[in-house]
Amino acid sequence: MPEHVSILQQIGLAALALVTVAWVVGLVRLVRVVAVAPPEPPRRLPLGALPGQAQAPAVESVPLTADEQDAFAGLVRQFSRR
């Protein structure tokens, strides 16, 4: 190694190389296991896990005053011009 490389840098490089090799070995093993294993069938939830929806949600509405209806109509006209 060159003289200007400290011992800590050399140790760090060796540790990084070791971790990289271990990661590659683990990745190769994982790919082999996944490629060989048959796919699992999709799991179904037990019948009581989620309650069924009894009815559709009610439609909510708020009555508008005449001034609010005019203001809304003005906004609609303003946006339709663009």
Side-chain angles (χ1 to χ4, degrees):
M1 281 277 174
E3 297 175 358
H4 63 278
V5 177
S6 72
I7 187 72
L8 289 176
Q9 289 176 329
Q10 292 176 9
I11 291 171
L13 181 62
L16 183 62
L18 183 65
V19 169
T20 303
V21 168
W23 179 79
V24 168
V25 168
L27 186 63
V28 167
R29 286 185 178 189
L30 179 66
V31 167
R32 285 183 182 172
V33 167
V34 170
V36 172
E40 294 182 11
R43 295 182 182 166
R44 294 188 179 231
L45 294 175
L47 293 178
L50 297 174
Q53 190 170 355
Q55 59 184 355
V59 177
E60 297 182 10
S61 64
V62 177
L64 299 177
T65 64
D67 292 335
E68 289 172 334
Q69 289 177 353
D70 291 340
F72 184 73
L75 281 174
V76 170
R77 282 192 300 272
Q78 182 181 0
F79 287 137
S80 65
R81 281 189 239 150
R82 291 182 184 197

